[in-house]
């Protein structure tokens, strides 16, 4: 089997080494794994990341992609992802192909890459299985680390968007996939509830709103946001949502903050003016300090408003309403006004999660460090493609590749890591955990014979009368 790994040579988010983490943690380990399985591996390595050459086995054919070649192929050093994703021209694609052909093989069985559009490779290798990878909808603690593994494409080019109706109706869902989704949902709810740093009252202490909606802001510079929405930035997105949301609905806003990328439009200078115009805007600086804060707020709200955040899919595990204001890849998963006959919202959610968890987004460890799983999954997908399969028929169930997959996924929750993250970032959560620890010690004390609870709060809120002297 001949495999090509493609790493974008351009700078993403203005950072020429933006893709270094995915190279180190995902693509390089995958390449070494497939080489050790006896497959022939080529790896396109941009000159900006040439210092990472040692990550790859010496028997991998490394194709060094120079700055000069990048300029020749793509015109300059800027990121062409928006154009390549939305509307590449034939002249543009011809130029790229002409510059790549001399350094690549004539044929590949597989092309593996990370979150980047490659229409030029799709044209060059129409018979190859091109696997598009990116973080899964459930990928941050306390969830298992999953990745999207899509032979169709990503975002509006991918399986979730193009076959959304069939996915939501459960077409091709097997009993084991459905059972896995149901058990996963139960584990999600238990894990989040066990370490929940917030409560609904803290979001709306005066109970001013009839309902609450979560608005997780994303990254303005991402190519799918730029191509699939009319907004120039997250502030435009926020204002559009606030203008088009009933003022009786409290809008809980979180911002995208990671060690690598941060896109923040709210701060103590901007917030007062916005809340004056839109009193239903709910935001706290504390949100920016809590790792993956939206995951904890999701169970406390009634609705999620998003264009492209994975929270739109995570909402399915809590059967929350989803509102997608633009025609992005998540638009088909907006909560419909009317469901198909004989189907309720819980069934629609479980059907979708059955596909995502059982066929579309495997454990990262399974496709990065498990040679048998990775080669088995790729080989079965390629067999199906060459047999004429298309669309959802390209996706085998993961438990057909590994009969123990269900147990592996459910055992991969990282609740303890999430607890550590919360203890570092959330002062209120740490204080709460300290109080809980004291209570647990008191309960476990053998000298304590009985514990009583004042369920009527009379010891806390006791009416008193005082006489003025």
């Amino acid at each position: 089997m001949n495999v090509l790994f493609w790493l974008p040579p351009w700078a993403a988010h203005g950072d020429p080494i933006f893709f270094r983490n995915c190279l180190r943690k995902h693509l390089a380990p995958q390449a070494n794994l497939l080489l050790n399985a006896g497959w022939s591996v080529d790896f396109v390595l941009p000159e900006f990341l040439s210092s990472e050459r040692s990550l790859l086995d010496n028997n991998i054919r490394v194709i060094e992609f120079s700055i000069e070649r990048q300029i020749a192929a793509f015109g300059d050093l800027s990121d062409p992802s928006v154009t390549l994703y939305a509307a590449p021209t034939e002249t543009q694609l011809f130029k790229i192909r002409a510059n790549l052909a001399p350094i690549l093989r004539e044929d590949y069985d597989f092309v593996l890459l990370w979150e980047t559009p490659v229409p030029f490779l799709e044209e060059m290798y129409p018979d190859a299985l091109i696997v598009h990878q990116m973080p899964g909808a459930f990928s941050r603690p306390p969830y298992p680390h999953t990745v999207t593994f899509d032979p169709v494409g990503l975002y509006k080019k991918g399986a979730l968007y193009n076959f959304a109706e069939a996915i939501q109706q459960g077409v091709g869902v097997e009993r084991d996939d459905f059972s896995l989704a149901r058990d996963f949902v139960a584990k999600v709810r238990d894990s989040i509830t066990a370490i929940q740093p917030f409560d609904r009252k803290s979001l709306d202490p005066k109970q001013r709103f009839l309902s609450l909606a979560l608005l997780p802001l994303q990254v303005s510079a991402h190519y799918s946001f730029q191509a699939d929405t009319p907004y120039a930035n997250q502030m435009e997105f926020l204002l559009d949502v606030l203008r088009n949301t009933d003022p009786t609905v409290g809008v809980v806003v979180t911002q995208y903050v990671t060690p690598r990328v941060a896109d923040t439009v709210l701060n103590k200078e901007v917030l007062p003016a916005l809340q004056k115009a839109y009193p239903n805007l709910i935001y706290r600086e504390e949100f920016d300090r809590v790792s993956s804060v939206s995951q904890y707020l999701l169970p406390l709200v009634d609705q999620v408003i998003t264009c492209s955040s994975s929270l739109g899919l995570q909402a399915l595990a809590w059967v929350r309403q989803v509102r997608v204001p633009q025609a992005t890849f998540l638009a088909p998963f907006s909560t419909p006004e009317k469901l198909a006959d004989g189907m309720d919202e819980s069934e629609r959610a479980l059907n979708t999660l059955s596909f995502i968890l059982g066929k579309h987004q495997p454990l990262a460890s399974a496709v990065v460090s498990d040679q048998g799983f990775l080669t088995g999954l790729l080989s079965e997908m390629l067999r199906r493609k060459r047999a004429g399969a298309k669309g959802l028929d390209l996706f085998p169930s993961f438990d057909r590749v590994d009969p123990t997959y269900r147990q592996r996924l459910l055992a991969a929750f990282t609740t303890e890591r999430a607890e550590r993250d919360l203890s570092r970032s959330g002062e209120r959560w740490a204080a709460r955990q300290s109080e809980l620890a004291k209570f647990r010690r008191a309960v476990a004390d053998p000298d304590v014979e009985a514990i009583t609870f004042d369920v009527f709060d009379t010891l806390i809120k006791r009416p008193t009368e005082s006489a003025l002297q």
Side-chain angles (χ1 to χ4, degrees):
M1 295 291 187
N2 294 326
V3 189
L4 171 66
F5 281 84
W6 170 264
L7 197 65
W10 51 77
H13 303 282
D15 184 356
I17 60 170
F18 179 82
F19 291 102
R20 183 171 63 183
N21 279 348
C22 78
L23 168 64
R24 289 178 173 179
K25 297 179 180 180
H26 198 90
L27 295 182
Q30 270 187 336
N32 293 333
L33 203 65
L34 293 179
L35 180 79
N36 292 333
W39 295 14
S40 176
V41 179
D42 289 358
F43 201 109
V44 173
L45 188 67
E47 187 172 356
F48 288 126
L49 292 168
S50 60
S51 61
E52 307 295 318
R53 172 65 180 84
S54 60
L55 294 172
L56 298 167
D57 190 287
N58 289 331
N59 292 313
I60 291 176
R61 186 171 82 100
V62 175
I63 302 168
E64 297 183 356
F65 205 89
S66 67
I67 293 176
E68 290 77 10
R69 186 176 294 278
Q70 180 183 346
I71 294 173
F74 297 99
D76 54 35
L77 300 180
S78 62
D79 185 348
S81 296
V82 174
T83 302
L84 292 174
Y85 169 71
T89 66
E90 184 51 42
T91 301
Q92 180 187 26
L93 295 179
F94 178 83
K95 183 179 180 181
I96 297 171
R97 293 196 305 269
N99 278 276
L100 292 181
I103 61 175
L104 301 181
R105 293 178 184 267
E106 290 186 4
D107 294 296
Y108 288 102
D109 299 295
F110 304 97
V111 177
L112 276 77
L113 50 105
W114 187 265
E115 203 171 358
T116 185
V118 288
F120 45 91
L121 294 178
E122 292 166 356
E123 291 189 358
M124 293 175 71
Y125 306 107
D127 297 325
L129 186 81
I130 299 180
V131 181
H132 300 261
Q133 302 179 90
M134 62 176 279
F138 300 91
S139 60
R140 296 179 179 176
Y143 300 126
H145 181 192
T146 62
V147 294
T148 298
F149 203 84
D150 195 324
V152 178
L154 293 181
Y155 302 108
K156 292 182 79 170
K157 310 293 184 182
L160 281 176
Y161 180 80
N162 287 286
F163 310 108
E165 183 176 355
I167 289 170
Q168 292 176 87
Q169 290 178 353
V171 174
V173 171
E174 301 176 21
R175 179 178 298 178
D176 287 345
D177 296 329
F178 195 85
S179 177
L180 171 62
R182 190 170 51 220
D183 290 347
F184 186 89
V185 166
K187 194 71 179 285
V188 165
R189 295 179 181 182
D190 288 345
S191 299
I192 293 291
T193 301
I195 57 176
Q196 175 62 266
F198 302 102
D199 55 51
R200 186 173 175 117
K201 187 175 181 181
S202 67
L203 301 178
D204 182 18
K206 297 182 180 179
Q207 298 183 331
R208 294 186 297 151
F209 304 111
L210 296 180
S211 65
L212 295 178
L214 175 63
L215 172 59
L217 299 179
Q218 287 298 107
V219 180
S220 300
H222 194 281
Y223 65 85
S224 70
F225 183 85
Q226 292 186 355
D228 295 336
T229 81
Y231 311 120
N233 51 55
Q234 295 301 303
M235 180 59 82
E236 288 189 4
F237 176 32
L238 170 62
L239 291 174
D240 184 50
V241 169
L242 291 172
R243 280 193 295 263
N244 290 283
T245 299
D246 191 305
T248 65
V249 177
V251 181
V252 182
V253 180
T254 62
Q255 306 195 95
Y256 192 86
V257 180
T258 70
R260 195 74 183 169
V261 178
D263 196 337
T264 55
V265 296
L266 293 178
N267 53 52
K268 60 184 178 181
E269 286 79 22
V270 171
L271 189 61
L274 282 175
Q275 287 182 322
K276 182 179 179 180
Y278 304 101
N280 59 333
L281 168 58
I282 301 170
Y283 165 78
R284 296 183 191 159
E285 290 185 10
E286 177 188 10
F287 292 165
D288 292 348
R289 298 193 298 270
V290 177
S291 179
S292 304
V293 63
S294 298
Q295 296 180 163
Y296 302 107
L297 297 173
L298 175 56
L300 307 177
V301 301
D302 307 288
Q303 177 187 161
V304 175
I305 305 172
T306 182
C307 284
S308 57
S309 170
S310 61
L311 270 294
L313 296 174
Q314 288 184 25
L316 298 173
W318 300 92
V319 197
R320 295 297 189 263
Q321 291 186 337
V322 179
R323 175 178 148 202
V324 184
Q326 299 298 329
T328 68
F329 81 105
L330 286 179
F333 298 93
S334 293
T335 304
E337 293 183 7
K338 184 183 180 197
L339 290 167
D341 292 342
M343 181 184 296
D344 62 23
E345 190 60 33
S346 295
E347 184 179 358
R348 183 182 82 109
L350 278 176
N351 285 339
T352 305
L353 290 173
S354 296
F355 173 73
I356 290 174
L357 298 168
K359 295 184 175 183
H360 187 247
Q361 298 180 17
L363 283 167
S365 59
V367 295
V368 168
S369 58
D370 186 335
Q371 184 182 104
F373 187 94
L374 178 59
T375 57
L377 181 59
L378 288 173
S379 297
E380 176 59 18
M381 284 182 165
L382 183 63
R383 183 195 70 77
R384 294 182 178 212
K385 179 181 174 72
R386 291 183 173 172
K390 296 180 180 179
L392 297 183
D393 290 334
L394 288 170
F395 295 85
S397 292
F398 299 142
D399 62 2
R400 297 294 180 92
V401 180
D402 176 11
T404 69
Y405 183 78
R406 171 199 183 109
Q407 290 79 11
R408 292 174 65 179
L409 178 66
L410 295 176
F413 275 76
T414 53
T415 307
E416 290 184 358
R417 178 180 170 186
E419 286 182 322
R420 291 196 297 271
D421 291 343
L422 283 171
S423 66
R424 288 193 294 266
S425 60
E427 297 175 2
R428 194 164 62 87
W429 184 88
R432 173 176 173 268
Q433 292 304 105
S434 177
E435 290 300 316
L436 286 174
K438 292 179 183 178
F439 178 75
R440 293 189 185 103
R441 287 195 296 270
V443 171
D445 188 340
D447 295 331
V448 175
E449 297 181 357
I451 298 175
T452 64
F453 295 91
D454 179 18
V455 297
F456 298 107
D457 288 339
T458 55
L459 296 181
I460 300 172
K461 298 178 181 178
R462 186 186 300 276
T464 61
E465 181 177 341
S466 62
L468 296 176
Q469 299 295 329

